[in-house]
């Protein structure tokens, strides 16, 4: 399988190169040249639905990672998901009218572990064969940084440098990062905001010579391997639900920020999975739900919410969707993205049903509905949703449908967002992993908000 750029100005590359490159050199995002289809390149549903999570992951991922020998890939997958408790990886729980897909049983209790545990092992595997080293630089407001750190901690030939805004990350999320004491992990508390951290990162990545000389790499959600790893649980949850309910198809509700998680569902549907609807849910930062309802993708200000991992202005994976939307026409796509860069807005035509895409419905949940939803599921079913999941469940309630079961993706454990849970229900939830952090030893360096100072830090610690 070869990978192309959405902007069309790159010769096709293999899977391992795609993983190491992250972003395409022409500024586009990488996509496979074509998708394997269930019943053709992939086995049929009857066969696939009998597999364990790890076996299913192998069937799907091996069609894309054709330059990794089968036995090596099996080991990579088994190692990546052995860190999940329970070992089922992504259990499905029935709560009220919904199937809740719990994606938060990895080491940092957020769905990003599903992809980043795999990506960390993949980096290690590729570096072992090719030689060289990788120095990951990232900026985080919370979840991504800790999932990335836990994905590569202790790995040879890899260092990870994660910047967070000093004093502005939740104390728990900060501890999840700074309590990792492996020698290859560097936490930088930047005297500034999350945007400052991101700007430092973008500036450094823009300096191609510096980037190449120091083998800098990124783990952000545009890496193809992250999207790929996330398609697996759509397969897994669909098969479980079809078997449990006898239905012919399912719909998914996905709380969305950078469009990474829901893009995986979109691709799984294209591969032939019987998904009749993808329900896209945003918080008040609703650029994506506005797009699917109006055809206009227009930037606005980011407002802080109870679901911080969805507080985004521009969704970094959206370009991949748009590429399919314009009929895989790289020139058209590049023109749209150029227009967006210049005007902060782009638009596509609505179809005969007055929507952008019949597969998607979209809505938003604000702070009040998030708290109400958490309280409702707590009071009625004794089940606690985290604020991100609650946004998804709230929007799913509007699009429920009798004959099609709805699977709601649960993207974080509620104990990560204690204050919101207390505000909604009056009581805290606990998780032993997080409770153990209270007395954990931590390591973190404070640094001023200055690109050159961060660069000097990198050079002296690589
Ligand atoms: C990252 C994240 C999301 C959003 O996922 P995207 O792939 O960016 O759409 C939702 N919930 C939680 C808890 C997250 O960490």
């Amino acid at each position: 399988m070869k990978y192309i750029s959405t902007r069309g100005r790159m010769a096709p590359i293999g899977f391992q190169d795609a993983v190491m490159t992250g972003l395409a050199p022409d500024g586009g995002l990488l996509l496979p040249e074509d998708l394997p289809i269930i019943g053709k390149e992939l086995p049929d549903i009857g066969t696939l639905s009998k597999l364990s999570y790890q076996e299913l992951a192998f069937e799907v991922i091996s069609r894309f990672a054709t330059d990794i020998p089968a036995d090596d890939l099996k080991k990579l997958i088994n190692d990546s998901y052995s860190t999940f408790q329970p070992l089922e990886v992504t259990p499905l729980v029935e709560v009220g009218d919904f199937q809740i897909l719990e994606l938060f049983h990895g080491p940092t209790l957020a769905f990003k572990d599903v992809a980043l545990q795999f990506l960390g092992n993949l980096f290690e595997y590729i570096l072992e064969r090719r030689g060289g080293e990788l120095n990951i630089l990232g900026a985080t407001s919370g979840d991504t940084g800790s999932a990335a750190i836990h994905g590569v901690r202790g790995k040879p030939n890899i260092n990870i440098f994660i910047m967070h805004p000093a004093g502005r990350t939740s104390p728990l999320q900060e501890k999840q990062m700074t309590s990792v004491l492996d020698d290859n992990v560097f936490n930088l508390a930047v005297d500034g905001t999350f945007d400052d951290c991101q700007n430092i990162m973008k500036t450094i990545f823009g300096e191609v010579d510096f980037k190449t000389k120091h083998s800098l790499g990124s783990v952000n959600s545009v890496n193809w391997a992250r999207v790929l790893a996330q398609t697996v649980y759509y397969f897994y949850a669909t098969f479980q639900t079809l078997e449990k309910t006898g239905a012919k198809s399912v719909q998914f509700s996905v709380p969305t920020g950078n469009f990474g998680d829901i893009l995986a569902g979109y691709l799984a549907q294209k591969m032939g999975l019987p998904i009749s609807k993808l329900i896209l849910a945003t918080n008040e930062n609703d650029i994506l739900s506005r797009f699917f309802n109006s055809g206009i993708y227009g930037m606005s200000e980011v407002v802080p919410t109870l679901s911080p991992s969805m507080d985004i202005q521009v969704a970094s994976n959206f370009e991949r969707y748009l590429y399919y939307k314009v009929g895989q026409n790289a020139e058209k796509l590049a023109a749209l993205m150029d227009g967006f860069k210049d005007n902060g807005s782009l638009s596509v035509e609505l179809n005969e049903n007055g929507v952008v895409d019949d597969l998607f419905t979209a809505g938003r949940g604000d702070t009040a509905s998030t708290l109400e939803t958490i309280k409702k599921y707590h009071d009625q079913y004794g089940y606690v949703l985290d604020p991100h999941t609650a946004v998804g469940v709230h929007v799913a309630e509007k699009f429920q449908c009798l004959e099609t079961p709805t699977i709601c993706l649960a993207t974080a454990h509620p104990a990560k967002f204690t204050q919101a849970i207390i505000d909604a229900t009056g009581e805290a939830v606990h998780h032993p992993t997080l409770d153990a952090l209270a007395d954990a030893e931590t390591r973190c360096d404070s640094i001023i908000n200055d690109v050159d100072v961060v660069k000097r830090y990198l050079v002296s610690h690589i």
Side-chain angles (χ1 to χ4, degrees):
M1 178 76 77
K2 292 284 185 199
Y3 292 82
I4 47 134
S5 164
T6 48
R7 309 273 174 108
R9 294 188 285 262
M10 177 196 92
I13 58 175
F15 176 75
Q16 294 190 31
D17 285 328
V19 171
M20 296 313 280
T21 306
L23 205 67
D26 63 3
L29 302 190
L30 298 171
L31 278 172
E33 272 186 327
D34 33 48
L35 294 171
I37 304 297
I38 293 177
K40 289 187 188 158
E41 294 83 8
L42 279 166
D44 58 26
I45 290 190
T47 310
L48 288 175
S49 52
K50 293 193 187 66
L51 303 178
S52 69
Y53 189 94
Q54 285 85 346
E55 291 166 337
L56 191 54
F58 174 75
E59 284 300 326
V60 175
I61 295 173
S62 62
R63 302 308 191 277
F64 292 93
T66 48
D67 57 7
I68 298 184
D71 286 343
D72 294 356
L73 185 61
K74 276 185 191 154
K75 182 166 184 318
L76 280 173
I77 290 169
N78 289 336
D79 289 350
S80 301
Y81 297 113
S82 65
T83 55
F84 281 61
Q85 292 297 333
L87 292 175
E88 197 195 343
V89 187
T90 59
L92 199 64
V93 186
E94 195 166 320
V95 181
D97 294 332
F98 295 127
Q99 306 291 329
I100 304 279
L101 180 63
E102 295 184 343
L103 301 173
F104 51 72
H105 294 287
T108 72
L109 314 183
F111 93 98
K112 291 186 172 70
D113 289 326
V114 178
L116 284 165
Q117 286 289 304
F118 178 63
L119 184 62
N121 287 324
L122 206 50
F123 280 149
E124 179 183 23
Y125 174 86
I126 296 173
L127 289 172
E128 268 169 10
R129 271 148 199 83
R130 297 189 166 182
E133 57 171 18
L134 177 65
N135 294 299
I136 295 165
L137 175 65
T140 191
S141 57
D143 278 347
T144 308
S146 65
I149 287 171
H150 283 80
V152 301
R153 62 184 296 182
K155 294 208 183 300
N157 309 321
I158 301 179
N159 292 309
I160 184 164
F161 299 86
I162 296 290
M163 295 178 279
H164 68 266
R168 297 183 197 233
T169 316
S170 89
L172 205 60
Q173 287 180 322
E174 187 179 317
K175 270 245 160 130
Q176 279 190 297
M177 297 190 281
T178 57
S179 61
V180 180
L181 302 178
D182 299 77
D183 290 341
N184 68 333
V185 174
F186 302 91
N187 279 288
L188 299 178
V190 175
D191 176 22
T193 63
F194 172 58
D195 280 337
D196 293 330
C197 298
Q198 257 193 324
N199 286 335
I200 294 175
M201 182 181 80
K202 283 183 189 157
T203 308
I204 295 179
F205 278 129
E207 297 179 17
V208 178
D209 290 343
F210 185 84
K211 182 177 174 229
T212 315
K213 181 168 176 213
H214 298 292
S215 309
L216 293 191
S218 122
V219 283
N220 67 23
S221 70
V222 299
N223 194 299
W224 167 251
R226 286 186 60 176
V227 177
L228 176 58
Q230 289 169 188
T231 60
V232 176
Y233 50 73
Y234 284 90
F235 283 77
Y236 188 71
T238 300
F239 298 148
Q240 297 244 317
T241 303
L242 294 184
E243 184 161 311
K244 202 150 123 181
T245 62
K248 294 269 180 296
S249 67
V250 298
Q251 53 182 21
F252 279 91
S253 161
V254 189
T256 309
N258 267 320
F259 206 81
D261 201 359
I262 197 162
L263 176 79
Y266 176 70
L267 295 174
Q269 194 272 347
K270 279 184 160 307
M271 289 186 238
L273 209 58
I275 298 174
S276 56
K277 277 276 182 248
L278 289 168
I279 302 167
L280 180 148
T282 63
N283 61 27
E284 287 94 328
N285 299 290
D286 60 354
I287 179 169
L288 287 166
S289 55
R290 279 185 284 121
F291 170 75
F292 280 98
N293 288 315
S294 70
I296 300 167
Y297 186 72
M299 241 155 81
S300 59
E301 289 285 295
V302 177
V303 294
T305 71
L306 296 178
S307 40
S309 297
M310 290 151 54
D311 293 347
I312 60 100
Q313 202 170 14
V314 178
S316 48
N317 265 294
F318 179 66
E319 178 167 340
R320 286 189 166 115
Y321 168 77
L322 209 53
Y323 176 75
Y324 288 106
K325 176 73 195 158
V326 298
Q328 307 185 41
N329 181 331
E331 252 166 65
K332 244 189 199 170
L333 186 272
L336 275 173
M337 294 312 294
D338 286 345
F340 181 71
K341 204 172 158 203
D342 294 342
N343 314 319
S345 155
L346 66 79
S347 62
V348 301
E349 272 177 31
L350 301 181
N351 69 14
E352 65 280 7
N353 299 323
V355 295
V356 168
D357 190 324
D358 292 328
L359 181 62
F360 286 83
T361 46
R364 62 176 238 164
D366 58 14
T367 300
S369 49
T370 303
L371 292 172
E372 272 162 33
T373 306
I374 295 171
K375 179 168 169 49
K376 175 177 160 188
Y377 283 78
H378 169 266
D379 292 355
Q380 288 188 6
Y381 307 108
Y383 188 88
V384 184
L385 304 164
D386 100 283
H388 303 78
T389 309
V391 170
V393 168
H394 168 72
V395 176
E397 286 182 337
K398 298 187 213 165
F399 297 112
Q400 248 170 292
C401 144
L402 277 180
E403 54 293 5
T404 314
T406 304
I407 302 166
C408 294
L409 302 197
T411 52
H413 191 284
K416 286 192 89 165
F417 301 95
T418 326
Q419 194 52 51
I421 305 302
I422 295 174
D423 291 348
T425 68
E427 57 198 32
V429 260
H430 288 276
H431 189 287
T433 305
L434 299 178
D435 291 345
L437 291 177
D439 318 307
E441 194 188 329
T442 61
R443 187 160 56 80
C444 179
D445 285 324
S446 299
I447 199 158
I448 60 167
N449 173 17
D450 183 296
V451 174
D452 290 320
V453 176
V454 173
K455 277 168 71 179
R456 273 202 296 275
Y457 183 97
L458 291 175
V459 172
S460 65
H461 288 85
I462 281 171

